Amino acid sequence: MQRVKALIKARHSFQTLRFLSHQRCFSAQPNYAPYHDFQDQVLVEGRAKSRAAILNRPFALNSLTTSMASRLKKLYESWEENPDIGFVIMKGNGRAFCSGVDAVALYHLLNEGKVEDCKRFFETLYKFVYLQGTYLKPHVAILDGITMGCGGGVSLPGMFHFVTDKTVFAHPEAQLGFHPGSGASFYLSHLPGYLGECLALTGEKLNGAEMIACGLATHYCLNARLSWVEECLGNMMNDDPTVIESSLAQYGDLVHPDRSSILHRIETIDKCFCHDTIEEIIDSLENEAAGAYDDWCRTVLRKMKEASPLSLKVTLRSIREGRFQSLDQCLAREYRMSLAAISKQVSNDFSEGVRARLVDKDFAPKWDPPRVEEVSKDMVEYYFTPLGELEPELLLPTALREPCI
């Protein structure tokens, strides 16, 4: 407890040292692969009036690396400035759109002491998400397949989100000892009722029809008809958003969530996840499960109890703050939270969660602290404390891209 308080106090003290003009020095790019492989991880398709970025790590479910985020950012910046390109498409190669960050790569970097490389990854990724959220040209994200974690962050801030019967959307970060980032606290907090809290804390999945119903997606079609949609987009010569929207709608299917959908439990979700603390949410779910003999409540309870207790508390506060913040404010805060998670100053839960679920796969993480009741306010506060001069904040070009703010 005293150590955490001292860390928070140290951060505040750094903010007062204005005479320290310290610029962050990033180490060389992580040697994941030879340089030519970096470009192969994000392919480009040229169309008559558009460009398509294709995430191309199917063996890793298109999980994002620093080089991929950097290449996406450079491509999107160049396409935005090119008057011959009217709109942009993003899709994934294989059975996933994007399964999130390459958590295993980050795990190994941390074990090798390459913390600066991890910081660079989050900085690059979050800057790209902000570019996506303020992009000046129409954007079509084709979320066909697994879309988890930052897969939502690199796609949902754009204009159009096309889903299929193969789409699986989820935010399982708390089960990995992390928190939903890449703008997730912005778009999850704007979902109906307390659905965002439920998804973030439990890692519950949504399918394409459910994403349409709750507003996360704009268009839906069967995977079997997706090639028609892509052909239509490839031949399109008009970049008017209304024309793109109507063209996508031509191939759209009218769908509704099935009877087992989580969306039919929205009253229970609002009743249980409206509370101010994780302890109260768990108590409410336990009461609901006992009173109604509800298997769904038991399932989400189990998922929450399998998650990192610290991550649960950090995630709940993040979603609640996101409800009253803009995208750039959410990204700046999530960047602080991400750096706190990889610093291991308060807890080693991120590395432990990745080890248990993705590396050793013993599915028996040793969380620190091990129980929700042992997570102190100071531990949570550390994740939200502004960074000091020795650790610059995430700098986003809001004045350039959003001059009206």
Side-chain angles (χ1 to χ4, degrees):
M1 181 72 72
Q2 293 301 320
R3 181 168 67 91
V4 176
K5 287 183 176 179
L7 288 167
I8 295 174
K9 189 176 292 185
R11 277 192 175 179
H12 283 302
S13 68
F14 285 141
Q15 293 168 3
T16 64
L17 301 177
R18 294 299 178 187
F19 57 88
L20 287 177
S21 178
H22 182 88
Q23 296 297 321
R24 182 169 9 180
C25 246
F26 290 107
S27 60
Q29 202 168 41
N31 188 24
Y32 293 115
Y35 176 76
H36 64 274
D37 286 345
F38 290 165
Q39 293 191 335
D40 290 343
Q41 292 174 3
V42 180
L43 302 177
V44 174
E45 281 185 1
R47 316 286 179 88
K49 191 65 176 177
S50 65
R51 294 293 183 273
I54 305 170
L55 306 181
N56 188 42
R57 293 184 77 215
F59 61 91
L61 299 178
N62 296 327
S63 57
L64 287 183
T65 62
T66 306
S67 58
M68 292 173 73
S70 179
R71 178 161 163 77
L72 283 169
K73 184 173 178 290
K74 290 175 181 177
L75 287 172
Y76 273 61
E77 287 172 340
S78 67
W79 292 341
E80 189 176 51
E81 294 173 0
N82 189 335
D84 295 328
I85 297 175
F87 64 98
V88 176
I89 302 163
M90 185 189 289
K91 62 180 183 177
N93 188 11
R95 66 188 184 94
F97 167 70
C98 174
S99 62
V101 306
D102 190 337
V104 174
L106 292 179
Y107 168 84
H108 289 305
L109 285 174
L110 289 173
N111 283 349
E112 294 165 9
K114 298 179 180 178
V115 180
E116 291 300 317
D117 288 344
C118 295
K119 293 177 183 177
R120 179 173 174 269
F121 167 74
F122 287 111
E123 181 184 35
T124 306
L125 173 62
Y126 288 11
K127 285 184 175 180
F128 174 68
V129 172
Y130 179 70
L131 175 65
Q132 178 75 280
T134 57
Y135 210 59
L136 299 179
K137 295 181 178 181
H139 185 267
V140 182
I142 301 175
L143 312 181
D144 182 44
I146 297 168
T147 305
M148 295 185 177
C150 75
V154 300
S155 58
L156 297 182
M159 190 172 292
F160 302 113
H161 326 127
F162 210 100
V163 295
T164 74
D165 53 317
K166 301 290 187 181
T167 302
V168 180
F169 174 87
H171 273 284
E173 291 93 336
Q175 282 69 34
L176 287 173
F178 204 64
H179 56 272
S182 309
S185 66
F186 178 76
Y187 58 79
L188 289 180
S189 64
H190 289 78
L191 292 180
Y194 293 91
L195 178 61
E197 282 89 338
C198 176
L199 297 177
L201 296 172
T202 67
E204 279 283 273
K205 300 180 180 68
L206 296 181
N207 59 32
E210 290 168 326
M211 290 182 71
I212 285 286
C214 72
L216 281 172
T218 59
H219 298 81
Y220 177 101
C221 85
L222 296 176
N223 168 270
R225 300 172 59 190
L226 194 54
S227 59
W228 300 353
V229 176
E230 293 190 35
E231 183 180 359
C232 171
L233 290 171
N235 295 331
M236 194 175 296
M237 298 298 294
N238 197 319
D239 59 3
D240 186 328
T242 58
V243 175
I244 296 174
E245 197 283 331
S246 60
S247 297
L248 292 174
Q250 288 179 10
Y251 295 93
D253 294 302
L254 185 63
V255 288
H256 301 283
D258 59 36
R259 290 184 178 181
S260 62
S261 170
I262 185 178
L263 299 185
H264 292 307
R265 300 179 178 275
I266 198 68
E267 289 185 7
T268 302
I269 289 171
D270 288 351
K271 180 180 178 181
C272 295
F273 287 88
C274 68
H275 299 289
D276 294 332
T277 68
I278 293 296
E279 290 90 339
E280 290 174 314
I281 290 173
I282 290 176
D283 285 345
S284 184
L285 284 168
E286 287 177 341
N287 292 336
E288 195 72 19
Y293 301 102
D294 195 324
D295 288 338
W296 179 81
C297 286
R298 293 189 183 89
T299 299
V300 297
L301 267 171
R302 175 181 53 79
K303 290 181 178 180
M304 287 185 67
K305 290 179 179 180
E306 290 173 352
S308 156
L310 177 58
S311 292
L312 289 176
K313 290 202 170 185
V314 167
T315 295
L316 179 61
R317 177 168 167 180
S318 178
I319 299 298
R320 294 287 162 82
E321 290 193 5
R323 194 164 276 131
F324 304 99
Q325 293 178 328
S326 57
L327 176 62
D328 64 290
Q329 291 172 328
C330 286
L331 288 168
R333 172 176 43 72
E334 290 170 358
Y335 180 70
R336 294 182 204 126
M337 296 163 61
S338 299
L339 264 55
I342 64 174
S343 73
K344 303 184 181 181
Q345 295 289 351
V346 174
S347 174
N348 189 41
D349 277 3
F350 173 57
S351 290
E352 176 61 13
V354 176
R355 180 207 64 77
R357 296 188 180 276
L358 301 178
V359 180
D360 296 340
K361 298 182 181 179
D362 58 25
F363 299 96
K366 295 177 176 59
W367 302 125
D368 178 27
R371 300 191 318 134
V372 170
E373 296 80 7
E374 297 176 27
V375 179
S376 70
K377 291 182 179 180
D378 288 326
M379 289 177 176
V380 176
E381 186 64 33
Y382 182 76
Y383 282 71
F384 296 85
T385 304
L387 303 173
E389 284 290 333
L390 298 183
E391 192 66 77
E393 299 279 356
L394 179 68
L395 298 178
L396 298 172
T398 51
L400 178 64
R401 301 193 65 85
E402 300 179 275
C404 59
I405 294 180

